Amino acid sequence: MRPLTYLVCLLSSLLLVACGGGGGSSASTTPTTPPVVAPSVQNSVSIVVDSGPNTSSGQSVGAVNSPYVSVTICQPGSSTQCQTIDHILVDTGSSGLRLISSVLSGTAALPALTDAGGNAIAECARFADGYSWGSIKQADLRVAGEVAKGISVQIIGDNAFPNVPSGCSGSLVAENTVAAFRANGVIGISSFAQDCGSACASQALEGWYYTCPGGTCAAAALGVAKQVGNPVAAFPQDNNGTAIQLPAIGSSGAAGVTGTLIFGIGTQANNALGSATIYTLNSSGNLSALYQGTVMQAFFDSGSNGLFFADSTIPNCSVSQGFYCPISTLSRSVVNTGINGRSSTVNFNVANADALFQSNPNNTAFNNLAGGPAFTSYFDWGLPFFFGRSVYTAIEGATAAGTVGPYVAY
């Protein structure tokens, strides 16, 4: 059973935060520029890290460290009733495609998902500091040359279900608009095939799926096949995982970064593991991280815009709330150890976020942003970890490059 914290995302004061091989060797890893892969071939699409989409008022959402791709959704079975949507956040910390309702045109009107009684299904996606609520609909997804047919997609912030159940919202704030979400949607490509899995299939759990007959919503069980899932697992090929490649950047950041999202691991010439080491994950998608003498669980979340971990010795920012602001840049390290026993030391820097943003107001990508965690026992390897690396995420139960997922490799 997966923890309800599975859809973890962390929020900073500036931006969205979305959420989010074997045997005993040890190594130290330092970011390097990954090989350049030509985008727009069948299994790869360009990633852009920029200030994000515009809101309804025409202003940029002002995102940093947010990797985006464009996707095309179509009515199931149609090749003409389609819409291409940009600035969809790439998130290895969640599973499933979620779109903000306001960016959808009438071109690709999507049918609602219903239960056996004909009741439409809604979903709650809970993040560390907010929640998103909306309908579940059916769509075909196209990205690069890959197609996932008839998948369940969450439409965030639509008006089909005006009453949000307390089991969803709790004390969290709503993130149901482009401005609040700081993206037009999110494509979750974690190591899980579904967003909830067998737990939601066997029982009605608060904070996940709901039906609302008569306007009153109640938690409902939903079979695995109907759940919002990792769309990569639904591709007919290149469906065992993904790789994210982003270039290295300097300590002052960069105004914009382009990289590549590649589908499949070891399925084509452009997605071989090469020298990357596999670190297998536990049933919750985590591995062990040793930081400053403390062992915690760690996960890899491209949808988080910083590295988030507990360190009471580092001052918090007064302006850029959620981030750390040390007097001078700190050098830190973590030893990651997979379930397979393989380990490596990852070195990173923690800069003063207030000073960094003030000195580089036009930059949208930084490799040295860090802040406190939503949960003290977790280390969140957010987007700064991905710069200068090829980071592979293998899906649970799928064999990728000879090893069964879930795993990460870098």
Side-chain angles (χ1 to χ4, degrees):
M1 175 177 173
R2 294 168 193 154
L4 293 181
T5 54
Y6 174 55
L7 287 171
V8 165
C9 294
L10 297 172
L11 200 58
S12 82
S13 59
L14 289 184
L15 16 133
L16 157 73
V17 237
C19 356
S25 65
S26 181
S28 178
T29 66
T30 301
T32 58
T33 299
V36 176
V37 174
S40 300
V41 297
Q42 177 182 333
N43 69 328
S44 72
V45 62
S46 293
I47 291 175
V48 59
V49 180
D50 63 14
S51 60
N54 290 337
T55 67
S56 57
S57 62
Q59 300 296 313
S60 168
V61 299
V64 299
N65 279 358
S66 297
Y68 300 108
V69 295
S70 294
V71 305
T72 298
I73 59 164
C74 302
Q75 290 183 14
S78 175
S79 60
T80 58
Q81 301 301 305
C82 303
Q83 180 185 357
T84 298
I85 305 172
D86 61 12
H87 285 100
I88 302 297
L89 187 73
V90 177
D91 184 20
T92 60
S94 69
S95 285
L97 180 66
R98 307 171 197 278
L99 304 171
I100 304 296
S101 62
S102 63
V103 305
L104 297 175
S105 69
T107 303
L110 304 176
L113 179 70
T114 58
D115 64 11
N119 298 304
I121 306 292
E123 189 184 19
C124 175
R126 291 190 298 176
F127 307 105
D129 64 343
Y131 73 90
S132 294
W133 168 256
S135 301
I136 301 299
K137 296 194 174 183
Q138 297 282 288
D140 289 351
L141 166 67
R142 298 180 179 181
V143 56
E146 309 283 2
V147 179
K149 294 184 177 179
I151 62 172
S152 294
V153 176
Q154 186 187 24
I155 308 301
I156 295 172
D158 62 1
N159 56 11
F161 300 95
N163 300 318
V164 182
S166 59
C168 172
S169 56
S171 60
L172 300 174
V173 299
E175 296 176 345
N176 294 323
T177 64
V178 172
F181 207 79
R182 299 188 187 277
N184 288 330
V186 59
I187 181 169
I189 52 171
S190 78
S191 57
F192 294 112
Q194 292 86 30
D195 63 353
C196 184
S198 58
C200 287
S202 60
Q203 57 187 318
L205 293 175
E206 293 288 348
W208 289 98
Y209 293 98
Y210 291 84
T211 55
C212 307
T216 300
C217 296
L222 187 66
V224 168
K226 291 186 175 182
Q227 293 179 16
V228 174
N230 186 333
V232 177
F235 292 160
Q237 68 283 314
D238 306 314
N239 53 14
N240 56 4
T242 57
I244 290 177
Q245 296 183 337
L246 294 172
I249 57 176
S251 59
S252 297
V257 169
T258 57
T260 309
L261 170 60
I262 306 171
F263 301 111
I265 298 174
T267 59
Q268 298 196 36
N270 64 355
N271 58 20
L273 279 180
S275 60
T277 298
I278 290 174
Y279 305 90
T280 53
L281 307 175
N282 64 20
S283 60
S284 297
N286 303 322
L287 49 64
S288 172
L290 174 63
Y291 174 72
Q292 302 285 80
T294 299
V295 176
M296 57 189 80
Q297 296 288 291
F299 56 95
F300 296 80
D301 184 5
S302 62
S304 288
N305 57 2
L307 308 176
F308 294 101
F309 55 94
D311 190 332
S312 61
T313 69
I314 307 177
N316 294 312
C317 295
S318 58
V319 177
S320 306
Q321 295 182 11
F323 289 119
Y324 286 138
C325 279
I327 296 174
S328 59
T329 297
L330 303 175
S331 296
R332 290 287 189 267
S333 65
V334 165
V335 178
N336 285 330
T337 302
I339 302 303
N340 56 358
R342 289 197 170 179
S343 64
S344 65
T345 299
V346 179
N347 301 308
F348 61 96
N349 293 326
V350 180
N352 183 307
D354 282 350
L356 200 61
F357 294 144
Q358 291 167 8
S359 300
N360 307 280
N362 296 320
N363 286 353
T364 62
F366 300 95
N367 62 9
N368 44 15
L369 283 180
F375 306 100
T376 56
S377 58
Y378 287 87
F379 195 104
D380 179 354
W381 288 111
L383 197 70
F385 174 83
F386 290 74
F387 290 118
R389 288 188 170 92
S390 295
V391 182
Y392 301 80
T393 303
I395 298 173
E396 59 181 343
T399 299
T403 299
V404 178
Y407 70 72
V408 296
Y410 55 86

